[in-house]
């Protein structure tokens, strides 16, 4: 029984494809097939139901898969124990929410480049559920995401709260009394991110509870573009208060303190099995995003706790 055979088997089950497993491990499909067959022969039982597409494990194969994942984590931990004192290096795949990408990607990149020159950061953005899935599939070493504080994460995804994020309804600079309730806002229409945005979903729920429609004037990506459109009086927006307060367009905007709608999200750091040698770089990445939202995190030690 060889570690490389276990690795091939786990990749095939996780990706449900010998082709994708071969691509991930840098091998040919026949090589992956041979390794899985070697593993089955060493155990003396079939582990895959080869009559199904995509490939599925047998009942025993699924149990073996779970045990193999545990074994490989322990092997990685052993390697990390030796490498823990080495400076972070190599490829590091990280992601942030689409709604924070404009304000946070560049500062995070600068932080990583300055503190960890041997790291090759690959930064991307997406909606929360998409990033969660990519972490589950180990396509990312870590992601910072926005979810409710009550969010329950799936097994195998480690998570650490980085702090609460207050959201605020934003309108053009006030020339009259500001709205006090959500009902007074909705008829102006909204400038929001496209479907997939958690902020938009929270607003939709709140309006539905009051029997009000969600009137979309414009769908647009990017804080600056949205705030520019709002300042022109083309609709209202919903975004993190910290981003609006420090934006250059702040003097042209009004923040609405509504009595019946004061949403709050939670900034989370999520990650699968993280190599110990990469922890300092991921800590710095998380801290850069949190600091951009004025959260009191100067050196995110969440992975070490």
């Amino acid at each position: 029984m060889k570690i490389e055979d276990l690795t091939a088997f786990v990749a095939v089950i996780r990706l449900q494809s010998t082709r994708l497993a071969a691509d991930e491990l840098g091998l040919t499909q026949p090589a992956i097939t041979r390794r899985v067959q070697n593993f089955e022969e060493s155990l003396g039982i079939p582990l895959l139901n080869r009559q199904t597409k995509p490939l599925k494990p047998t009942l025993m194969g699924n149990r073996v898969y779970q045990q193999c994942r545990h074994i490989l984590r322990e092997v990685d931990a052993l390697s990390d124990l030796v490498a823990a004192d080495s400076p972070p290096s190599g490829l590091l795949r990280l992601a942030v929410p689409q709604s924070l990408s404009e304000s946070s990607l560049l500062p995070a990149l600068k932080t990583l480049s300055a503190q960890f020159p041997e790291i090759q950061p690959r930064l991307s953005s997406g909606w929360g559920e998409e990033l969660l899935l990519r972490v589950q599939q180990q396509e990312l070493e870590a992601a910072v995401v926005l979810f409710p504080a009550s969010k329950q994460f799936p097994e195998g995804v480690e998570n650490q709260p980085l702090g609460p994020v207050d959201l605020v309804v934003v309108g053009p600079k006030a020339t009259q009394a500001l709205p006090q309730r959500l009902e007074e806002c909705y008829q102006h229409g909204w400038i929001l991110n496209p479907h997939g945005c958690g902020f938009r979903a929270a607003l939709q729920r709140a309006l539905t509870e009051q029997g009000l429609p969600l009137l979309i004037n414009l769908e647009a990506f990017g804080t600056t573009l949205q705030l520019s459109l709002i300042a022109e009086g083309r609709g209202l927006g919903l975004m993190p208060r910290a981003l609006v307060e420090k934006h250059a367009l702040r003097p042209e905007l009004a923040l609405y303190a509504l009595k019946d709608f004061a949403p709050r999200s939670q900034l989370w750091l999520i990650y699968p099995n993280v190599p110990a040698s990469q922890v300092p770089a991921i800590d710095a990445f998380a801290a850069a995003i949190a600091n951009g939202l004025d959260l009191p995190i100067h050196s995110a030690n969440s992975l070490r706790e």
Side-chain angles (χ1 to χ4, degrees):
M1 188 181 305
K2 299 178 180 179
I3 291 297
E4 54 263 35
D5 295 342
L6 273 71
T7 302
F9 171 68
V10 167
V12 168
I13 298 302
R14 176 166 53 82
L15 299 171
Q16 299 184 330
S17 165
T18 56
R19 180 183 62 80
L20 294 177
D23 290 343
E24 180 175 283
L25 298 177
L27 299 169
T28 64
Q29 283 186 255
I32 290 290
T33 300
R34 282 196 303 272
R35 290 189 178 187
V36 172
Q37 290 173 342
N38 290 341
F39 187 45
E40 290 177 313
E41 289 173 4
S42 67
L43 294 177
I45 54 171
L47 301 174
L48 294 176
N49 182 350
R50 291 175 169 82
Q51 305 305 312
T52 63
K53 287 188 178 181
L55 284 172
K56 297 287 185 181
T58 62
L59 181 61
M60 179 56 71
N62 188 57
R63 295 175 61 185
V64 171
Y65 168 69
Q66 299 299 330
Q67 187 64 31
C68 285
R69 290 183 61 195
H70 175 73
I71 292 170
L72 293 176
R73 282 196 295 267
E74 291 300 316
V75 171
D76 288 341
L78 183 60
S79 299
D80 291 343
L81 184 64
V82 177
D85 292 332
S86 303
S89 63
L91 180 66
L92 192 62
R93 301 165 299 176
L94 306 167
V96 300
Q98 182 69 50
S99 52
L100 301 182
S101 60
E102 179 185 318
S103 61
S104 61
L105 277 179
L106 185 56
L109 182 60
K110 288 182 175 179
T111 295
L112 291 173
S113 298
Q115 296 184 23
F116 307 100
E118 298 302 317
I119 282 286
Q120 302 167 29
R122 183 178 295 170
L123 304 186
S124 59
S125 62
W127 301 126
E129 292 297 340
E130 172 196 346
L131 298 184
L132 176 56
L133 179 61
R134 291 175 64 192
V135 167
Q136 283 183 275
Q137 296 176 342
Q138 299 186 13
E139 296 176 2
L140 296 169
E141 274 68 61
V144 171
V145 292
L146 286 163
F147 280 119
S150 59
K151 175 70 175 179
Q152 297 294 311
F153 292 93
E155 183 180 355
V157 175
E158 301 296 332
N159 59 88
Q160 294 293 339
L162 300 177
V165 177
D166 291 324
L167 306 179
V168 64
V169 174
V170 188
K173 188 175 181 179
T175 57
Q176 53 188 3
L178 296 179
Q180 299 293 308
R181 296 186 178 278
L182 191 58
E183 185 178 9
E184 301 171 39
C185 298
Y186 88 95
Q187 69 269 20
H188 297 289
W190 298 87
I191 297 171
L192 300 171
N193 291 315
H195 278 292
C197 174
F199 303 164
R200 174 171 171 159
L203 175 61
Q204 176 77 74
R205 287 194 297 271
L207 288 168
T208 299
E209 288 172 1
Q210 296 190 27
L212 300 172
L214 175 61
L215 304 178
I216 301 293
N217 293 348
L218 286 163
E219 292 184 340
F221 284 115
T223 301
T224 297
L225 176 57
Q226 289 185 8
L227 291 181
S228 298
L229 294 167
I230 292 168
E232 291 182 359
R234 298 182 182 276
L236 306 181
L238 178 65
M239 57 187 63
R241 177 183 292 272
L243 296 188
V244 182
E245 291 284 14
K246 63 178 61 176
H247 199 278
L249 290 170
R250 176 64 180 91
E252 302 178 40
L253 303 166
L255 306 186
Y256 299 174
L258 304 182
K259 295 179 180 179
D260 59 347
F261 184 58
R264 169 177 277 193
S265 191
Q266 175 83 28
L267 193 69
W268 298 88
L269 174 64
I270 59 173
Y271 48 93
N273 184 36
V274 179
S277 60
Q278 304 287 45
V279 165
I282 295 176
D283 281 347
F285 164 73
I289 307 302
N291 286 336
L293 290 169
D294 294 335
L295 298 178
I297 298 178
H298 302 289
S299 177
N301 294 316
S302 50
L303 272 71
R304 299 188 183 116
E305 294 173 358

